[in-house]
Amino acid sequence: MPLKRRSDKSILTAFLVVLLSFILMIASFVAPVNLVFADDVSGVITDLSQDENFDASQYPIVEDDNSLSVVTLAETTNSELLVYVYQPSAKYEATSINISTAINDSLFYQNYSLELLDQEGALYKFKVLDFEVKQDALRYYDISSIFRAYDASIDKPPEGDNTISEVAFEVGKLWTASTVNGELTFSCLETETIEVTDKYVGFIRYLNGFWLYSDSCDSHFVAFSTDRPIDKLMEADLLYIAEIGSGSLATGRFTVDSTEEIYITLEASEVVSNEVSGLFGQKYTWNRIESAADFLAKEDLTDEAKSNLQNKQWVLRFAETAYTEYNGLYNPHYDATRVSDVTILRLKFETEGQVFNLGVVDNKQSGDMNPDNNQNWLIDILKTIFLVIGLILLVILLIVCWPIVVVVLKFLVKAVVWILKGLWWLITAPFSIFKKEE
């Protein structure tokens, strides 16, 4: 019996140790943050000093550190959201931030621009633009990443002819704000993210058909690799800018008529195809989400595109836009959509049987306006042939209809003469009247 009592006591002790360890583990992940009450005009140090744990010496200037990190957040009485950022080299301002106000399976990150309100040393205070704090008693701010402008002198260059406008830095924190009986409390929890390590943005051009102009479908894609293994990619959220306009085939200049910011969710089950609409058009079908290996095997890519995709794991076919080319002798031009600032916001994937739904750390990257697949030279020859045939038919039509054209021209000349005579009469009539009166 005494032995059994000792055994019971040992079990109870072990249970308490495990329970205490679990509590300490939870405490290590949840770091309460005293969110400061602030407004647009107060200084960054003044705001942060309201937290008794704040120590400015922990945020020194480090000249060769060009990263960004979020210190804390604040809600204002005007329902604005403020972000406090540490930028060690004190050379770069944050430009935008990815925030989801929903969590778990409802994660939906949006990219918000930031307005600088104050800076002191390496600490910055920003207002989140076009963001309104919810009136809910419980509010979530899941922040995956924060951006600054790309600097070619220090940042990794993109592949191929791609360009980068903003560079992303991991935040990976979930702030929870709750208001009970008018009292605000705040807590902060570390969250997981997934980082894009290699990336290439481009498009495939498929010919829908040809009449006296060519109609094509531009299938835009982003190929990428990540810092975590992905066995099965299930969903992806992306953000990109669509610039709709026209370009000159003679000068290469592209004029933007309208711009749109587009959020899109892709699912692995989605299948897309182009629409055949004329001569020599061909039907193509592709998956929204596919492995880079499958993409390389199916598409007739240029050698440069193949090189840019060699180290990529996945390809997202995220948008289809129209491309129409007019090859006339007068003003040869095209209508198209230029896609830019592509960034991946969220990935849902499976690895070793476990499903993850994570925010993504990814820059804003743009491709050029040249298709990444080989264009059929025969089609170009046929375009020229059809253009010549069209001009010949126009000449024949003018010859056949010449008598009618002559009659129409004579009528137009007479009409112009009568109009000019009428205008002359209106101008000179007052003078004639005055002359008679004299």
Side-chain angles (χ1 to χ4, degrees):
M1 293 295 292
L3 181 60
K4 181 171 179 53
R5 282 198 298 271
R6 284 196 299 273
S7 176
D8 290 343
K9 185 175 180 181
S10 299
I11 292 172
L12 179 60
T13 302
F15 174 77
L16 291 174
V17 168
V18 170
L19 180 62
L20 180 60
S21 299
F22 178 76
I23 293 172
L24 290 174
M25 181 183 70
I26 295 297
S28 68
F29 282 96
V30 181
V33 175
N34 295 323
L35 185 69
V36 296
F37 290 93
D39 55 35
D40 290 356
V41 297
S42 55
V44 57
I45 299 298
T46 300
D47 291 350
L48 294 174
S49 295
Q50 295 179 43
D51 185 340
E52 60 183 14
N53 297 316
F54 173 72
D55 181 2
S57 65
Q58 294 181 355
Y59 304 94
I61 291 180
V62 183
E63 292 188 1
D64 59 348
D65 187 345
N66 301 300
S67 65
L68 300 174
S69 59
V70 176
V71 178
T72 189
L73 308 180
E75 297 174 338
T76 73
T77 54
N78 295 325
S79 298
E80 296 171 332
L81 185 66
L82 305 179
V83 179
Y84 298 84
V85 177
Y86 174 46
Q87 203 287 289
S89 70
K91 297 176 183 176
Y92 300 95
E93 295 179 14
T95 50
S96 63
I97 192 167
N98 286 346
I99 304 175
S100 173
T101 56
I103 60 173
N104 300 328
D105 291 338
S106 299
L107 270 179
F108 183 75
Y109 292 96
Q110 289 183 267
N111 183 252
Y112 297 92
S113 296
L114 296 172
E115 178 187 344
L116 179 63
L117 299 179
D118 186 50
Q119 175 195 358
E120 188 165 339
L123 289 168
Y124 295 71
K125 173 183 176 181
F126 295 92
K127 179 169 70 174
V128 181
L129 298 179
D130 301 317
F131 185 97
E132 185 174 352
V133 173
K134 294 182 178 181
Q135 299 304 308
D136 302 345
L138 195 61
R139 301 172 297 284
Y140 298 108
Y141 304 105
D142 190 317
I143 303 180
S144 57
S145 57
I146 189 168
F147 297 77
R148 64 160 170 79
Y150 173 79
D151 186 338
S153 66
I154 58 171
D155 295 320
K156 177 184 175 182
E159 296 186 34
D161 292 325
N162 279 200
T163 57
I164 298 174
S165 59
E166 294 182 49
V167 181
F169 295 88
E170 182 187 22
V171 177
K173 292 180 181 179
L174 168 63
W175 278 271
T176 303
S178 61
T179 306
V180 180
N181 297 325
E183 233 179 273
L184 174 67
T185 58
F186 232 77
S187 62
C188 181
L189 173 69
E190 297 287 333
T191 60
E192 290 185 272
T193 63
I194 183 170
E195 183 176 355
V196 170
T197 54
D198 291 292
K199 180 178 178 181
Y200 179 75
V201 177
F203 69 93
I204 302 294
R205 179 164 293 159
Y206 301 118
L207 179 67
N208 293 331
F210 177 75
W211 293 105
L212 293 179
Y213 61 88
S214 64
D215 175 36
S216 300
C217 169
D218 286 349
S219 171
H220 301 272
F221 69 86
V222 53
F224 66 99
S225 299
T226 65
D227 64 345
R228 302 174 65 132
I230 297 176
D231 295 337
K232 180 181 178 182
L233 186 54
M234 304 158 69
E235 292 180 8
D237 287 346
L238 292 91
L239 167 65
Y240 66 94
I241 303 297
E243 298 175 314
I244 302 170
S246 59
S248 168
L249 291 171
T251 65
R253 181 180 178 183
F254 186 76
T255 302
V256 178
D257 297 323
S258 62
T259 301
E260 185 178 3
E261 186 180 66
I262 299 176
Y263 289 87
I264 186 169
T265 297
L266 309 181
E267 296 184 0
S269 59
E270 291 181 87
V271 178
V272 192
S273 62
N274 65 316
E275 184 177 346
V276 177
S277 58
L279 297 174
F280 313 114
Q282 185 175 347
K283 189 81 168 181
Y284 295 89
T285 301
W286 59 92
N287 297 317
R288 280 285 185 218
I289 300 175
E290 57 189 358
S291 69
D294 288 344
F295 181 73
L296 283 164
K298 289 192 308 181
E299 300 297 341
D300 181 22
L301 301 177
T302 64
D303 291 339
E304 183 181 0
K306 289 178 181 178
S307 175
N308 291 328
L309 267 74
Q310 281 303 320
N311 59 340
K312 308 301 185 294
Q313 299 167 342
W314 295 94
V315 174
L316 304 177
R317 310 285 292 269
F318 61 89
E320 294 74 45
T321 61
Y323 175 83
T324 307
E325 188 172 300
Y326 305 89
N327 283 287
L329 295 178
Y330 172 73
N331 188 29
H333 68 283
Y334 62 91
D335 295 332
T337 298
R338 182 168 63 190
V339 167
S340 61
D341 285 354
V342 180
T343 182
I344 305 171
L345 302 171
R346 178 186 66 91
L347 291 176
K348 184 176 182 179
F349 59 95
E350 182 179 315
T351 299
E352 297 182 350
Q354 186 175 357
V355 175
F356 299 87
N357 188 39
L358 304 179
V360 181
V361 182
D362 181 32
N363 61 36
K364 294 183 181 181
Q365 190 163 318
S366 307
D368 59 20
M369 294 199 70
N370 299 315
D372 288 286
N373 59 328
N374 292 307
Q375 300 299 291
N376 195 331
W377 60 268
L378 178 60
I379 295 299
D380 293 331
I381 293 176
L382 290 172
K383 288 179 183 180
T384 304
I385 292 173
F386 269 80
L387 176 61
V388 172
I389 291 174
L391 291 173
I392 292 172
L393 290 175
L394 180 60
V395 171
I396 293 173
L397 183 63
L398 287 173
I399 293 172
V400 172
C401 300
W402 183 249
I404 298 174
V405 172
V406 170
V407 172
V408 172
L409 287 174
K410 286 181 178 179
F411 173 79
L412 291 175
V413 169
K414 288 182 179 180
V416 171
V417 170
W418 278 105
I419 291 171
L420 292 174
K421 285 182 177 180
L423 290 173
W424 179 253
W425 181 85
L426 287 173
I427 295 170
T428 59
F431 299 101
S432 299
I433 293 172
F434 293 142
K435 187 174 182 181
K436 288 179 181 179
E437 288 179 356
E438 291 176 357

